[in-house]
Amino acid sequence: MKRFLLIYNPLSGNAYFKNELDAAIRLFQRQQCLLIPARTESKEDTPRFVRLAEELHADGIIAAGGDGTLHEVINAMLEAETALPLGIIPCGTSNDFATFLKISRDIEQCVQIICQGHWQTIDVGLINNKYFINVASAGLLASVVHNTDTALKNTLGKVAYYLKTLETIPYFRSLPIEINADGMVIKDDILLFLVMNSGAAGGFPNLAPKARLDDGKLDLLIVTRCNVTEFMRLLINLATGNHTNHKNITYLQARNITITCDEMLESDLDGERGPYLPLTLSVIPNRVKVFMPL
């Protein structure tokens, strides 16, 4: 019988997964698999649970939560240098990485993906001394994620981010930022930048049309200074995937990226608070095994 250690965040999204836990255990047992639940109460719990999975000789680790939970689990797995494959049950406010993988929120489908045992080795991003699985960013959208009320996120989901974005736009200003991407230097007044491993971020599913999880490259999207009206039009383009030729958009791929700014600017890693600029980013090819749909 296969054994999987489940790391779940009881507060992710609208906290509904904890009410579905017994159903998840039943679905795994029907597939002749044993699920071992581990409930996180602090960031220190996740590394301990990853080590426990190794001690139990588990067949994989499962992260149930949003992109932030996935970020914590990936960092704990890489720091422990585990070779166990990762399963994903997306049940957070933001599930951009799972969206890119075409993994739905339906628990029965997630269980089937994990139990059928098909995994793929994918790239991860390294930023300073931390890892990210989906996106590293700074600017307007990053500040919105950190300043959106948790209760509002749990009630409205992604809509809360969109409402906060509209509220913030009139007061947000661009910053002079310098980016070096594989030797290509970009200096401009920038509203936001995203360095992506997948092609989905911020609830937008098609931000990086060339993105592949095993291409050994990061996808860089830069939005330069524009007025409120132009930015509102740009948001529509971003939502429909018709943005890469926009005059305020720079989109490219690179293996190594450095980003500097003369002002204090905090980054965001997979929806969690990241380091302040300057940033040094690179891609680590073929680093993590992830259970994928067939």
Side-chain angles (χ1 to χ4, degrees):
M1 178 178 282
K2 290 183 179 179
R3 293 181 292 180
F4 297 99
L5 188 127
L6 168 73
I7 300 175
Y8 74 98
N9 182 345
L11 303 178
S12 281
N14 60 4
Y16 91 97
F17 179 76
K18 63 184 179 182
N19 299 318
E20 300 294 328
L21 181 56
D22 183 68
I25 293 171
R26 184 182 72 250
L27 288 168
F28 274 97
Q29 288 182 180
R30 286 180 177 174
Q31 297 286 336
Q32 301 302 308
C33 296
L34 178 65
L35 191 66
I36 305 167
R39 181 183 190 273
T40 61
E41 296 184 353
S42 69
K43 292 185 183 296
E44 290 73 30
D45 289 334
T46 305
R48 292 194 297 108
F49 294 150
V50 168
R51 292 193 296 270
L52 176 62
E54 290 277 11
E55 293 169 7
L56 294 173
H57 302 289
D59 294 281
I61 295 171
I62 301 170
D67 289 326
T69 301
L70 194 55
H71 174 81
E72 286 186 22
V73 173
I74 285 290
N75 272 271
M77 290 175 66
L78 292 176
E79 287 165 10
E81 298 184 345
T82 180
L84 293 174
L86 173 69
I88 301 171
I89 299 178
C91 54
T93 302
S94 179
N95 304 287
D96 290 318
F97 190 71
T99 297
F100 186 75
L101 296 182
K102 295 182 172 54
I103 298 175
S104 78
R105 292 173 63 97
D106 182 81
I107 293 177
E108 188 168 359
Q109 291 183 23
C110 295
V111 171
Q112 185 173 357
I113 289 170
I114 295 166
C115 291
Q116 67 193 8
H118 171 70
W119 53 261
Q120 178 183 336
T121 306
I122 67 167
D123 306 335
V124 296
L126 177 66
I127 176 170
N128 296 0
N129 61 345
K130 297 288 286 184
Y131 302 96
F132 64 96
I133 189 67
N134 194 56
V135 60
S137 64
L140 178 57
L141 294 181
S143 66
V144 166
V145 170
H146 297 155
N147 293 324
T148 303
D149 180 75
T150 300
L152 188 65
K153 286 192 293 184
N154 289 343
T155 303
L156 299 180
K158 289 180 182 177
V159 175
Y161 292 141
Y162 300 146
L163 293 175
K164 191 67 177 181
T165 299
L166 295 175
E167 174 189 318
T168 307
I169 286 171
Y171 309 103
F172 199 84
R173 63 188 181 91
S174 58
L175 293 172
I177 292 175
E178 179 175 328
I179 299 176
N180 186 315
D182 285 349
M184 178 181 177
V185 178
I186 300 168
K187 293 182 181 180
D188 213 329
D189 289 333
I190 292 174
L191 277 173
L192 68 100
F193 66 81
L194 302 101
V195 181
M196 292 170 283
N197 189 37
S198 82
F204 298 101
N206 300 304
L207 289 181
K210 296 180 182 178
R212 301 291 183 273
L213 290 172
D214 57 356
D215 60 0
K217 297 176 183 177
L218 297 170
D219 290 68
L220 172 63
L221 185 77
I222 302 168
V223 179
T224 55
R225 181 177 59 187
C226 56
N227 61 40
V228 173
T229 303
E230 290 172 333
F231 189 76
M232 293 299 294
R233 294 196 191 102
L234 179 56
L235 282 178
I236 295 172
N237 289 341
L238 289 168
T240 57
N242 299 315
H243 57 282
T244 54
N245 293 321
H246 193 281
K247 64 184 179 67
N248 293 103
I249 290 283
T250 299
Y251 171 60
L252 56 90
Q253 293 182 305
R255 290 179 171 82
N256 297 284
I257 300 169
T258 57
I259 304 173
T260 58
C261 181
D262 291 336
E263 300 189 37
M264 291 284 288
L265 183 60
E266 187 179 32
S267 66
D268 172 278
L269 303 182
D270 298 327
E272 300 292 299
R273 291 185 182 275
Y276 283 86
L277 274 65
L279 305 176
T280 300
L281 304 101
S282 59
V283 63
I284 305 177
N286 301 316
R287 187 60 184 85
V288 176
K289 300 173 185 174
V290 178
F291 289 114
M292 301 280 199
L294 288 173

